[in-house]
mmCIF file of all heavy atoms in Angstrom:
data_model
loop_
_atom_site.group_PDB
_atom_site.id
_atom_site.type_symbol
_atom_site.label_atom_id
_atom_site.label_comp_id
_atom_site.label_asym_id
_atom_site.label_seq_id
_atom_site.Cartn_x
_atom_site.Cartn_y
_atom_site.Cartn_z
ATOM 1 N N ASN A 35 -5.065 0.412 21.084
ATOM 2 C CA ASN A 35 -6.036 1.392 20.602
ATOM 3 C C ASN A 35 -7.184 0.713 19.841
ATOM 4 O O ASN A 35 -8.354 1.042 20.042
ATOM 5 C CB ASN A 35 -5.368 2.416 19.687
ATOM 6 C CG ASN A 35 -4.350 3.295 20.392
ATOM 7 O OD1 ASN A 35 -4.320 3.340 21.636
ATOM 8 N ND2 ASN A 35 -3.535 3.975 19.634
ATOM 9 N N LEU A 147 -13.839 14.271 10.733
ATOM 10 C CA LEU A 147 -12.826 14.497 11.770
ATOM 11 C C LEU A 147 -11.732 13.441 11.711
ATOM 12 O O LEU A 147 -10.534 13.751 11.757
ATOM 13 C CB LEU A 147 -13.481 14.529 13.146
ATOM 14 C CG LEU A 147 -12.512 14.679 14.337
ATOM 15 C CD1 LEU A 147 -11.696 15.945 14.206
ATOM 16 C CD2 LEU A 147 -13.285 14.642 15.660
ATOM 17 N N ALA A 148 -12.132 12.169 11.619
ATOM 18 C CA ALA A 148 -11.149 11.107 11.581
ATOM 19 C C ALA A 148 -10.280 11.195 10.334
ATOM 20 O O ALA A 148 -9.052 11.012 10.382
ATOM 21 C CB ALA A 148 -11.843 9.746 11.653
ATOM 22 N N LEU A 150 -9.645 13.857 8.660
ATOM 23 C CA LEU A 150 -8.784 15.033 8.802
ATOM 24 C C LEU A 150 -7.570 14.701 9.657
ATOM 25 O O LEU A 150 -6.440 15.105 9.349
ATOM 26 C CB LEU A 150 -9.572 16.180 9.438
ATOM 27 C CG LEU A 150 -8.782 17.450 9.726
ATOM 28 C CD1 LEU A 150 -8.299 18.098 8.435
ATOM 29 C CD2 LEU A 150 -9.624 18.453 10.521
ATOM 30 N N ILE A 151 -7.773 13.950 10.725
ATOM 31 C CA ILE A 151 -6.670 13.543 11.585
ATOM 32 C C ILE A 151 -5.638 12.768 10.764
ATOM 33 O O ILE A 151 -4.420 13.008 10.864
ATOM 34 C CB ILE A 151 -7.169 12.659 12.749
ATOM 35 C CG1 ILE A 151 -8.021 13.516 13.712
ATOM 36 C CG2 ILE A 151 -6.028 11.999 13.483
ATOM 37 C CD1 ILE A 151 -8.791 12.684 14.724
ATOM 38 N N LEU A 152 -6.120 11.829 9.959
ATOM 39 C CA LEU A 152 -5.206 11.013 9.149
ATOM 40 C C LEU A 152 -4.516 11.851 8.072
ATOM 41 O O LEU A 152 -3.327 11.673 7.800
ATOM 42 C CB LEU A 152 -5.975 9.874 8.491
ATOM 43 C CG LEU A 152 -6.632 8.894 9.493
ATOM 44 C CD1 LEU A 152 -7.434 7.846 8.723
ATOM 45 C CD2 LEU A 152 -5.620 8.231 10.385
ATOM 46 N N LEU A 154 -3.803 15.094 8.123
ATOM 47 C CA LEU A 154 -2.790 15.959 8.730
ATOM 48 C C LEU A 154 -1.633 15.137 9.304
ATOM 49 O O LEU A 154 -0.498 15.629 9.384
ATOM 50 C CB LEU A 154 -3.421 16.830 9.821
ATOM 51 C CG LEU A 154 -4.475 17.830 9.372
ATOM 52 C CD1 LEU A 154 -5.032 18.599 10.559
ATOM 53 C CD2 LEU A 154 -3.897 18.799 8.334
ATOM 54 N N GLY A 155 -1.916 13.899 9.702
ATOM 55 C CA GLY A 155 -0.879 13.069 10.322
ATOM 56 C C GLY A 155 -0.160 12.168 9.347
ATOM 57 O O GLY A 155 0.620 11.313 9.785
ATOM 58 N N ASP A 157 -1.174 9.618 7.712
ATOM 59 C CA ASP A 157 -1.481 8.258 8.141
ATOM 60 C C ASP A 157 -2.501 7.648 7.196
ATOM 61 O O ASP A 157 -2.945 8.298 6.242
ATOM 62 C CB ASP A 157 -2.017 8.285 9.578
ATOM 63 C CG ASP A 157 -1.931 6.938 10.270
ATOM 64 O OD1 ASP A 157 -1.545 5.953 9.611
ATOM 65 O OD2 ASP A 157 -2.267 6.874 11.467
ATOM 66 N N ALA A 166 -9.764 6.602 11.985
ATOM 67 C CA ALA A 166 -8.644 6.866 12.878
ATOM 68 C C ALA A 166 -8.778 6.089 14.178
ATOM 69 O O ALA A 166 -8.251 6.500 15.207
ATOM 70 C CB ALA A 166 -8.539 8.366 13.159
ATOM 71 N N LEU A 167 -9.441 4.979 14.132
ATOM 72 C CA LEU A 167 -9.679 4.145 15.314
ATOM 73 C C LEU A 167 -8.390 3.752 16.028
ATOM 74 O O LEU A 167 -8.349 3.588 17.242
ATOM 75 C CB LEU A 167 -10.453 2.918 14.888
ATOM 76 C CG LEU A 167 -10.645 1.762 15.844
ATOM 77 C CD1 LEU A 167 -12.068 1.194 15.737
ATOM 78 C CD2 LEU A 167 -9.652 0.630 15.516
ATOM 79 N N HIS A 168 -7.285 3.652 15.288
ATOM 80 C CA HIS A 168 -6.015 3.226 15.858
ATOM 81 C C HIS A 168 -5.229 4.341 16.500
ATOM 82 O O HIS A 168 -4.136 4.118 17.040
ATOM 83 C CB HIS A 168 -5.164 2.584 14.758
ATOM 84 C CG HIS A 168 -4.863 3.518 13.620
ATOM 85 N ND1 HIS A 168 -5.818 3.875 12.685
ATOM 86 C CD2 HIS A 168 -3.733 4.192 13.280
ATOM 87 C CE1 HIS A 168 -5.259 4.715 11.815
ATOM 88 N NE2 HIS A 168 -4.003 4.913 12.160
ATOM 89 N N VAL A 169 -5.767 5.587 16.475
ATOM 90 C CA VAL A 169 -5.057 6.756 17.008
ATOM 91 C C VAL A 169 -5.741 7.189 18.305
ATOM 92 O O VAL A 169 -6.979 7.348 18.321
ATOM 93 C CB VAL A 169 -5.061 7.908 15.993
ATOM 94 C CG1 VAL A 169 -4.271 9.081 16.533
ATOM 95 C CG2 VAL A 169 -4.510 7.436 14.641
ATOM 96 N N ASN A 170 -4.996 7.401 19.365
ATOM 97 C CA ASN A 170 -5.590 7.868 20.613
ATOM 98 C C ASN A 170 -5.537 9.388 20.662
ATOM 99 O O ASN A 170 -4.899 10.049 19.851
ATOM 100 C CB ASN A 170 -4.941 7.218 21.823
ATOM 101 C CG ASN A 170 -3.471 7.534 21.972
ATOM 102 O OD1 ASN A 170 -3.028 8.639 21.683
ATOM 103 N ND2 ASN A 170 -2.686 6.564 22.418
ATOM 104 N N ARG A 171 -6.188 9.937 21.684
ATOM 105 C CA ARG A 171 -6.346 11.390 21.709
ATOM 106 C C ARG A 171 -5.039 12.125 21.961
ATOM 107 O O ARG A 171 -4.855 13.270 21.506
ATOM 108 C CB ARG A 171 -7.380 11.800 22.762
ATOM 109 C CG ARG A 171 -6.965 11.564 24.206
ATOM 110 C CD ARG A 171 -8.116 11.923 25.122
ATOM 111 N NE ARG A 171 -7.735 11.907 26.523
ATOM 112 C CZ ARG A 171 -8.559 12.174 27.526
ATOM 113 N NH1 ARG A 171 -9.828 12.465 27.249
ATOM 114 N NH2 ARG A 171 -8.138 12.162 28.760
ATOM 115 N N ARG A 172 -4.090 11.516 22.643
ATOM 116 C CA ARG A 172 -2.783 12.166 22.820
ATOM 117 C C ARG A 172 -2.055 12.277 21.490
ATOM 118 O O ARG A 172 -1.391 13.284 21.227
ATOM 119 C CB ARG A 172 -1.945 11.362 23.817
ATOM 120 C CG ARG A 172 -2.453 11.442 25.257
ATOM 121 C CD ARG A 172 -1.554 10.674 26.212
ATOM 122 N NE ARG A 172 -1.567 9.244 25.945
ATOM 123 C CZ ARG A 172 -2.507 8.427 26.380
ATOM 124 N NH1 ARG A 172 -3.490 8.884 27.095
ATOM 125 N NH2 ARG A 172 -2.434 7.124 26.100
ATOM 126 N N GLN A 173 -2.220 11.264 20.655
ATOM 127 C CA GLN A 173 -1.605 11.339 19.333
ATOM 128 C C GLN A 173 -2.289 12.370 18.456
ATOM 129 O O GLN A 173 -1.648 13.063 17.673
ATOM 130 C CB GLN A 173 -1.649 9.945 18.685
ATOM 131 C CG GLN A 173 -0.788 8.904 19.377
ATOM 132 C CD GLN A 173 -1.074 7.493 18.902
ATOM 133 O OE1 GLN A 173 -2.222 7.097 18.743
ATOM 134 N NE2 GLN A 173 -0.028 6.709 18.705
ATOM 135 N N VAL A 174 -3.629 12.474 18.592
ATOM 136 C CA VAL A 174 -4.370 13.506 17.844
ATOM 137 C C VAL A 174 -3.901 14.895 18.259
ATOM 138 O O VAL A 174 -3.715 15.795 17.421
ATOM 139 C CB VAL A 174 -5.880 13.358 18.084
ATOM 140 C CG1 VAL A 174 -6.648 14.501 17.429
ATOM 141 C CG2 VAL A 174 -6.388 12.016 17.555
ATOM 142 N N ARG A 175 -3.714 15.057 19.537
ATOM 143 C CA ARG A 175 -3.271 16.365 20.056
ATOM 144 C C ARG A 175 -1.913 16.755 19.426
ATOM 145 O O ARG A 175 -1.699 17.896 19.014
ATOM 146 C CB ARG A 175 -3.150 16.291 21.568
ATOM 147 C CG ARG A 175 -2.774 17.616 22.228
ATOM 148 C CD ARG A 175 -1.282 17.655 22.533
ATOM 149 N NE ARG A 175 -0.869 19.035 22.769
ATOM 150 C CZ ARG A 175 0.349 19.479 22.642
ATOM 151 N NH1 ARG A 175 1.321 18.677 22.219
ATOM 152 N NH2 ARG A 175 0.651 20.750 22.874
ATOM 153 N N GLU A 176 -0.991 15.790 19.324
ATOM 154 C CA GLU A 176 0.307 16.065 18.734
ATOM 155 C C GLU A 176 0.193 16.457 17.274
ATOM 156 O O GLU A 176 0.878 17.374 16.792
ATOM 157 C CB GLU A 176 1.202 14.828 18.887
ATOM 158 C CG GLU A 176 1.580 14.497 20.330
ATOM 159 C CD GLU A 176 2.313 13.187 20.436
ATOM 160 O OE1 GLU A 176 2.554 12.543 19.382
ATOM 161 O OE2 GLU A 176 2.640 12.775 21.568
ATOM 162 N N ILE A 177 -0.692 15.774 16.542
ATOM 163 C CA ILE A 177 -0.894 16.089 15.123
ATOM 164 C C ILE A 177 -1.461 17.486 14.950
ATOM 165 O O ILE A 177 -0.950 18.286 14.159
ATOM 166 C CB ILE A 177 -1.835 15.036 14.491
ATOM 167 C CG1 ILE A 177 -1.156 13.673 14.444
ATOM 168 C CG2 ILE A 177 -2.234 15.474 13.065
ATOM 169 C CD1 ILE A 177 -2.096 12.547 14.069
ATOM 170 N N PHE A 178 -2.509 17.803 15.702
ATOM 171 C CA PHE A 178 -3.143 19.119 15.581
ATOM 172 C C PHE A 178 -2.207 20.226 16.023
ATOM 173 O O PHE A 178 -2.168 21.306 15.399
ATOM 174 C CB PHE A 178 -4.424 19.157 16.409
ATOM 175 C CG PHE A 178 -5.600 18.480 15.745
ATOM 176 C CD1 PHE A 178 -5.453 17.720 14.609
ATOM 177 C CD2 PHE A 178 -6.883 18.577 16.293
ATOM 178 C CE1 PHE A 178 -6.510 17.082 13.987
ATOM 179 C CE2 PHE A 178 -7.975 17.946 15.699
ATOM 180 C CZ PHE A 178 -7.786 17.210 14.552
ATOM 181 N N ALA A 179 -1.468 20.005 17.104
ATOM 182 C CA ALA A 179 -0.569 21.031 17.600
ATOM 183 C C ALA A 179 0.475 21.394 16.545
ATOM 184 O O ALA A 179 0.808 22.576 16.341
ATOM 185 C CB ALA A 179 0.111 20.545 18.884
ATOM 186 N N GLU A 180 0.998 20.379 15.852
ATOM 187 C CA GLU A 180 2.024 20.629 14.855
ATOM 188 C C GLU A 180 1.462 21.200 13.571
ATOM 189 O O GLU A 180 1.972 22.202 13.064
ATOM 190 C CB GLU A 180 2.764 19.324 14.564
ATOM 191 C CG GLU A 180 3.837 19.484 13.490
ATOM 192 C CD GLU A 180 4.520 18.162 13.163
ATOM 193 O OE1 GLU A 180 4.259 17.172 13.848
ATOM 194 O OE2 GLU A 180 5.324 18.142 12.191
ATOM 195 N N ARG A 181 0.403 20.597 13.041
ATOM 196 C CA ARG A 181 -0.098 20.984 11.726
ATOM 197 C C ARG A 181 -1.000 22.212 11.752
ATOM 198 O O ARG A 181 -1.131 22.921 10.738
ATOM 199 C CB ARG A 181 -0.824 19.805 11.079
ATOM 200 C CG ARG A 181 0.017 18.571 10.870
ATOM 201 C CD ARG A 181 1.237 18.854 9.954
ATOM 202 N NE ARG A 181 0.841 19.177 8.604
ATOM 203 C CZ ARG A 181 0.671 18.277 7.657
ATOM 204 N NH1 ARG A 181 0.880 17.013 7.905
ATOM 205 N NH2 ARG A 181 0.293 18.652 6.443
ATOM 206 N N MET A 182 -1.640 22.496 12.888
ATOM 207 C CA MET A 182 -2.493 23.666 12.983
ATOM 208 C C MET A 182 -1.784 24.826 13.695
ATOM 209 O O MET A 182 -2.377 25.907 13.833
ATOM 210 C CB MET A 182 -3.782 23.335 13.726
ATOM 211 C CG MET A 182 -4.664 22.332 13.029
ATOM 212 S SD MET A 182 -6.189 22.025 13.982
ATOM 213 C CE MET A 182 -6.969 20.758 12.982
ATOM 214 N N LEU A 184 -0.827 25.007 16.962
ATOM 215 C CA LEU A 184 -1.473 25.220 18.259
ATOM 216 C C LEU A 184 -0.675 24.498 19.347
ATOM 217 O O LEU A 184 -1.086 23.475 19.890
ATOM 218 C CB LEU A 184 -2.915 24.703 18.246
ATOM 219 C CG LEU A 184 -3.844 25.317 17.170
ATOM 220 C CD1 LEU A 184 -5.170 24.547 17.127
ATOM 221 C CD2 LEU A 184 -4.074 26.794 17.480
ATOM 222 N N LEU A 187 -2.403 23.474 22.693
ATOM 223 C CA LEU A 187 -3.638 22.690 22.620
ATOM 224 C C LEU A 187 -3.583 21.513 23.607
ATOM 225 O O LEU A 187 -2.560 20.828 23.689
ATOM 226 C CB LEU A 187 -3.832 22.164 21.193
ATOM 227 C CG LEU A 187 -5.119 21.395 20.894
ATOM 228 C CD1 LEU A 187 -6.337 22.273 21.039
ATOM 229 C CD2 LEU A 187 -5.043 20.776 19.494
ATOM 230 N N SER A 188 -4.680 21.277 24.330
ATOM 231 C CA SER A 188 -4.729 20.135 25.251
ATOM 232 C C SER A 188 -5.299 18.927 24.505
ATOM 233 O O SER A 188 -5.761 19.022 23.375
ATOM 234 C CB SER A 188 -5.620 20.466 26.446
ATOM 235 O OG SER A 188 -7.005 20.421 26.084
ATOM 236 N N ASP A 189 -5.247 17.764 25.174
ATOM 237 C CA ASP A 189 -5.821 16.560 24.554
ATOM 238 C C ASP A 189 -7.243 16.297 24.995
ATOM 239 O O ASP A 189 -7.756 15.190 24.815
ATOM 240 C CB ASP A 189 -4.924 15.351 24.836
ATOM 241 C CG ASP A 189 -4.859 14.987 26.316
ATOM 242 O OD1 ASP A 189 -5.496 15.678 27.121
ATOM 243 O OD2 ASP A 189 -4.182 14.002 26.653
ATOM 244 N N ASP A 190 -7.890 17.312 25.541
ATOM 245 C CA ASP A 190 -9.307 17.194 25.905
ATOM 246 C C ASP A 190 -10.132 17.041 24.610
ATOM 247 O O ASP A 190 -9.935 17.826 23.663
ATOM 248 C CB ASP A 190 -9.773 18.430 26.653
ATOM 249 C CG ASP A 190 -11.256 18.383 26.987
ATOM 250 O OD1 ASP A 190 -11.651 17.576 27.832
ATOM 251 O OD2 ASP A 190 -12.015 19.144 26.315
ATOM 252 N N PRO A 191 -11.027 16.071 24.526
ATOM 253 C CA PRO A 191 -11.779 15.856 23.287
ATOM 254 C C PRO A 191 -12.537 17.076 22.803
ATOM 255 O O PRO A 191 -12.592 17.342 21.597
ATOM 256 C CB PRO A 191 -12.735 14.716 23.660
ATOM 257 C CG PRO A 191 -12.037 13.965 24.737
ATOM 258 C CD PRO A 191 -11.285 15.021 25.523
ATOM 259 N N ALA A 193 -11.659 20.218 23.259
ATOM 260 C CA ALA A 193 -10.680 21.162 22.702
ATOM 261 C C ALA A 193 -10.223 20.709 21.321
ATOM 262 O O ALA A 193 -10.061 21.521 20.391
ATOM 263 C CB ALA A 193 -9.484 21.278 23.649
ATOM 264 N N LEU A 194 -10.011 19.406 21.148
ATOM 265 C CA LEU A 194 -9.595 18.889 19.855
ATOM 266 C C LEU A 194 -10.670 19.090 18.803
ATOM 267 O O LEU A 194 -10.384 19.469 17.661
ATOM 268 C CB LEU A 194 -9.250 17.399 19.975
ATOM 269 C CG LEU A 194 -8.076 17.038 20.884
ATOM 270 C CD1 LEU A 194 -7.938 15.539 21.044
ATOM 271 C CD2 LEU A 194 -6.762 17.628 20.338
ATOM 272 N N THR A 195 -11.927 18.841 19.186
ATOM 273 C CA THR A 195 -13.030 19.027 18.255
ATOM 274 C C THR A 195 -13.174 20.499 17.864
ATOM 275 O O THR A 195 -13.431 20.821 16.697
ATOM 276 C CB THR A 195 -14.342 18.521 18.881
ATOM 277 O OG1 THR A 195 -14.185 17.136 19.261
ATOM 278 C CG2 THR A 195 -15.490 18.648 17.892
ATOM 279 N N ALA A 197 -10.821 22.727 17.788
ATOM 280 C CA ALA A 197 -9.709 23.089 16.892
ATOM 281 C C ALA A 197 -10.021 22.648 15.465
ATOM 282 O O ALA A 197 -9.801 23.392 14.503
ATOM 283 C CB ALA A 197 -8.424 22.449 17.374
ATOM 284 N N ALA A 198 -10.560 21.429 15.313
ATOM 285 C CA ALA A 198 -10.902 20.945 13.980
ATOM 286 C C ALA A 198 -12.029 21.761 13.366
ATOM 287 O O ALA A 198 -12.007 22.074 12.173
ATOM 288 C CB ALA A 198 -11.327 19.470 14.066
#
Side-chain angles (χ1 to χ4, degrees):
N35 294 347
L147 177 58
L150 177 64
I151 292 168
L152 299 177
L154 296 179
D157 199 355
L167 169 140
H168 60 286
V169 183
N170 62 37
R171 69 183 188 181
R172 290 183 295 278
Q173 293 168 317
V174 174
R175 183 262 162 203
E176 293 173 2
I177 293 169
F178 281 9
E180 178 183 353
R181 299 300 294 271
M182 295 181 183
L184 302 171
L187 183 65
S188 75
D189 64 0
D190 177 71
L194 296 174
T195 303

